[in-house]
Amino acid sequence: MKTELDFLADAAARGHISRRAFLGRAAALGVSAAIASTLAGKAFAQTPVKGGLLRAGLQGGESTNSLDPALSLSQVSYLFGKQWGEYLVRLTPERGLRYLIAEEIGSSADAKTWTIKIRDGIEFHNGKTVTAEDVAATIERHADEKAKSGALGILRNIKGIKASGKEVIVTLAEADADFPYLMTDYHLIIQPNGGKDDPNAGIGAGPYKVTVNEPGVRHGGERFANYWQADKAAHADQIEIIVINDATARLVALQGGQVHMINRVEPKVVDMVKRVPGVTIENVDGKGYYPFNMFCDTAPFDNNDLRMALKLAMDRDEILDKIMQGYGTVGNDFPINNVYPLFPEGIEQRKFDPEKAAEFYKKSGHSGSILLRTSDVAFPGAVDAAQLYQQSAAKAGITIEIRREPGDGYWSQVWNKQPFSLSYWGGRATQGQMYSTGYLSTADWNDTRFKNPAFDKMLFAARAELDEAKRKVIYHDMAVLMRDEGGLIVPIFNQTIDAVASTKVGGYIKNPNGELMDGYALSECWVNA
C-alpha cells in the first residue's frame, strides 16, 4: 500500500502542490531535509508532454449509456464524464478535498447552512461563464425526483438552494458535517443551467469537449482550449474511450498498441501481464467491493433466516484466493472497510459455516433452487465467483441456480431490477455518503431494498454528529445492524487493477479513490514523445 509520502510525491509530480509545500509536508512526516530535497528533485522532474491521442479500452459500456450525468451507471459513462465535466470539488489521493469550481465551502456552526463560493473565470464549452446560478441549478436538478439522478439519495436532506452573487447557499433539513464531501459524487457535473435545458448535451467545463458519443462503442473528446487548469490536465490533443467489455480483448488491445491503458484486469492474469514488456500493472487498495445483492422486500429474500443462511454459505477466503488471487480483502456484509476514516472496529468477522447455514436454511422453511444472476461485466471473475458460491452453498444443502446475463444491458435491466444478483460498488468519499447512496430506505440506488427505520435514524444522527468519537460509535451500530439484517453479502473488497503502456504513457499515479486515477487518467496523463 502506498504511504503518505508516496501520495505526496505523486501530487508534486502532477503539479498539484508547490516545491515549498512538498518540503514542508515532507518535514512534517519526519523526512530529513537532505532526503526531502532528493525526493523533490525526482518528483518535480516529470514534465507533461502536450499533444497526441491518448486512448483507453474500458469495460463497463452499454448501448443504453447517456451523457446525462444523472443517469451515469457504469464505468464508461463515469470515466468519460470526468473528461468533459468539471465538479465543485474532488477527492485527492490522500482522501482530502481539492477545490475546483468551488473556491471554498464553509458552514454555519450547526452544519445546516453551507456557503459555496464559486471561482471566477471558469468557462463552459459553449463559451458561457460558469455562475453560481449554474451551480445552484445543477444541485436542484439532481435533488429533483424527476431527474432520476444517482445522487438523489445524498441530496434528499436539502431544504433550500439559493444563488447570491458568486455564492450558493444550501440549507439542509438536518445537519451534515460531510456536506462538502457529498459534492464529490460523480453525477454532480456542473452544467449550464444545471442541465435543465438539455442534460444529454455533454456540455461541461472539463478539460475535453465531446466530439464522439457512440454509446456501447466509443467516446471521444478534443482539448478544450479555454480549460482553466490547462497546466494540470488536457495534455493530449485528443482522448478516446473504446468500449471493450471482454477482458481478454482488452488485454489484446493493450498489447497490440490499440489502446494505452485498460481497466478491470482480471486478477488471474496479473502475473502474466506483469511479464509483458512495456506494460505496467497498477493496483491499489480502495473502497470498492463486489456484492451479492438480495432484495429484502422480495420473496424468498424477505425472510431474514434465509438471508442469514446465504451469508453463512459464502466462503469468502476461497473467493479472495481463487478469484482475486489475493488482490483484495474479505468483506463482512456491510459496505465499509478500513480504508474509510472512523472504520467500525471490533465487529466479528463472518466466516463460512455450512452447518450453521443449514440450520438457518431449515428454519427459513424455504425449499427449491434460488436464482442468482451474474455477468462478466458485474466485476472481474463474477461468473467464476458465482460458481464457487454455488459450490459452497451446496455444502449447506442450498441449491443455487446461476443465470449468466449478457453484458449489454446488465446495469439497466438486471442490477437494481432483479432480486438476487452480483454487482459492483466503487465506494464513496465518506461512510455517510455510502450509506445514503445505497442503503437509506429512500435511496434510488438501494439495490438490496434494505428499508429499516432504525438504520435510517442512526444515519441521520451520524450526519449531524460533529464529535468524531461519537460518530464512530454510531457507524459501528449501523454496520452491525446491516450485517445481521441487511440483504448485502460482501465477500471481498477489491483492489483496482489497471494496466498501462508505461513506455508510451507518462504521469500515471495510483489513486485509492477509483480505477484509472479515480477516472482522471485520460485527462491528466500524457503521451510520451
Side-chain angles (χ1 to χ4, degrees):
M1 182 181 292
K2 298 191 78 173
T3 66
E4 188 172 348
L5 186 60
D6 291 326
F7 287 125
L8 187 61
D10 286 339
R14 303 298 309 162
H16 293 161
I17 62 172
S18 67
R19 184 183 183 90
R20 181 176 180 179
F22 176 90
L23 294 173
R25 291 173 66 176
L29 293 173
V31 179
S32 71
I35 293 177
S37 295
T38 300
L39 292 174
K42 294 180 180 179
F44 287 94
Q46 291 195 56
T47 302
V49 177
K50 294 291 184 180
L53 167 66
L54 194 57
R55 183 181 284 126
L58 303 182
Q59 182 192 68
E62 301 177 303
S63 59
T64 54
N65 286 157
S66 166
L67 285 179
D68 181 357
L71 306 180
S72 181
L73 286 175
S74 52
Q75 291 75 26
V76 168
S77 54
Y78 148 76
L79 289 163
F80 190 46
K82 291 198 172 184
Q83 315 316 313
W84 64 263
E86 192 69 293
Y87 298 82
L88 289 172
V89 290
R90 63 182 271 195
L91 289 173
T92 68
E94 303 88 349
R95 302 183 184 91
L97 284 180
R98 178 178 161 198
Y99 287 84
L100 300 174
I101 290 175
E103 192 167 35
E104 61 182 62
I105 302 177
S107 77
S108 58
D110 62 0
K112 285 188 176 182
T113 302
W114 290 84
T115 301
I116 306 169
K117 184 178 179 182
I118 306 306
R119 194 183 301 273
D120 288 329
I122 298 181
E123 187 179 311
F124 285 121
H125 300 155
N126 61 5
K128 294 182 179 180
T129 299
V130 177
T131 66
E133 286 76 15
D134 295 312
V135 172
T138 296
I139 299 173
E140 284 175 351
R141 186 173 80 88
H142 287 271
D144 185 345
E145 301 270 357
K146 296 178 183 178
K148 299 180 180 179
S149 174
L152 177 61
I154 62 171
L155 301 179
R156 290 185 189 276
N157 189 31
I158 293 177
K159 186 169 67 173
I161 307 168
K162 180 178 68 174
S164 177
K166 296 180 180 180
E167 295 181 341
V168 175
I169 295 94
V170 180
T171 306
L172 307 180
E174 303 291 339
D176 191 343
D178 287 337
F179 177 78
Y181 286 88
L182 302 186
M183 297 299 100
T184 67
D185 187 287
Y186 64 86
H187 300 91
L188 300 180
I189 292 173
I190 305 303
Q191 296 177 278
N193 195 28
K196 292 180 180 181
D197 303 321
D198 186 0
N200 196 45
I203 296 174
Y208 289 95
K209 296 174 64 174
V210 176
T211 55
V212 178
N213 181 43
E214 300 176 13
V217 182
R218 67 190 183 108
H219 306 271
E222 64 180 16
R223 182 193 291 123
F224 177 39
N226 295 334
Y227 182 56
W228 70 286
Q229 293 189 107
D231 59 328
K232 295 183 174 64
H235 303 304
D237 291 333
Q238 296 175 301
I239 55 97
E240 186 175 28
I241 292 173
I242 307 296
V243 178
I244 312 176
N245 285 324
D246 181 78
T248 301
R250 283 197 305 282
L251 278 174
V252 170
L254 180 67
Q255 290 177 256
Q258 284 80 41
V259 297
H260 297 95
M261 57 187 72
I262 61 174
N263 69 341
R264 298 294 184 92
V265 177
E266 292 189 325
K268 63 184 179 182
V269 301
V270 167
D271 288 343
M272 177 196 75
V273 177
K274 285 180 177 179
R275 296 193 292 270
V276 177
V279 173
T280 300
I281 287 289
E282 300 286 0
N283 60 293
V284 63
D285 288 325
K287 300 171 182 175
Y289 56 99
Y290 296 158
F292 287 53
N293 295 324
M294 303 175 281
F295 283 3
C296 294
D297 62 357
T298 303
F301 311 104
D302 55 350
N303 183 317
N304 195 41
D305 288 324
L306 179 66
R307 296 199 299 270
M308 185 61 72
L310 292 171
K311 292 173 184 178
L312 291 166
M314 174 72 69
D315 191 333
R316 300 154 207 276
D317 292 325
E318 184 178 42
I319 289 178
L320 177 62
D321 179 49
K322 294 183 178 179
I323 304 300
M324 301 306 299
Q325 303 294 311
Y327 289 97
T329 56
V330 294
N332 203 15
D333 299 341
F334 58 93
I336 306 299
N337 64 355
N338 60 7
V339 177
Y340 283 90
L342 308 183
F343 173 71
E345 299 165 338
I347 300 175
E348 182 182 358
Q349 174 62 52
R350 179 161 286 147
K351 295 184 179 297
F352 176 47
D353 191 334
E355 292 183 3
K356 186 175 278 189
E359 291 176 9
F360 275 101
Y361 184 64
K362 182 178 180 180
K363 186 179 176 182
S364 76
H366 184 269
S367 62
S369 63
I370 296 172
L371 179 61
L372 172 64
R373 289 175 167 85
T374 186
S375 172
D376 291 323
V377 303
F379 58 80
V383 175
D384 292 337
Q387 292 171 345
L388 281 182
Y389 181 52
Q390 182 184 51
Q391 295 166 17
S392 66
K395 296 176 182 178
I398 303 173
T399 301
I400 301 293
E401 176 189 348
I402 298 173
R403 180 173 297 173
R404 185 172 183 172
E405 302 280 3
D408 190 32
Y410 187 78
W411 297 111
S412 57
Q413 302 298 322
V414 178
W415 173 77
N416 211 14
K417 297 287 196 306
Q418 299 297 334
F420 195 25
S421 67
L422 275 65
S423 179
Y424 166 71
W425 276 93
R428 290 297 186 269
T430 67
Q431 293 191 50
Q433 186 180 2
M434 185 67 248
Y435 284 129
S436 296
T437 304
Y439 304 100
L440 181 66
S441 293
T442 55
D444 283 357
W445 283 13
N446 187 337
D447 56 7
T448 61
R449 305 298 189 270
F450 178 61
K451 300 176 180 179
N452 187 298
F455 180 87
D456 293 350
K457 185 177 180 180
M458 285 190 283
L459 176 55
F460 297 146
R463 286 175 176 173
E465 183 54 68
L466 302 181
D467 185 313
E468 290 193 348
K470 293 179 180 178
R471 189 191 294 189
K472 186 174 182 178
V473 172
I474 300 173
Y475 282 151
H476 176 278
D477 294 344
M478 290 170 65
V480 170
L481 179 57
M482 173 168 284
R483 175 182 181 272
D484 293 342
E485 298 185 23
L488 181 67
I489 305 176
V490 183
I492 56 102
F493 284 84
N494 64 289
Q495 290 189 354
T496 58
I497 309 176
D498 305 326
V500 179
S502 53
T503 57
K504 300 178 182 179
V505 175
Y508 191 98
I509 65 172
K510 295 180 186 291
N511 190 317
N513 297 310
E515 59 193 18
L516 290 176
M517 293 172 51
D518 195 25
Y520 290 100
L522 280 173
S523 54
E524 297 188 353
C525 290
W526 54 84
V527 182
N528 286 322

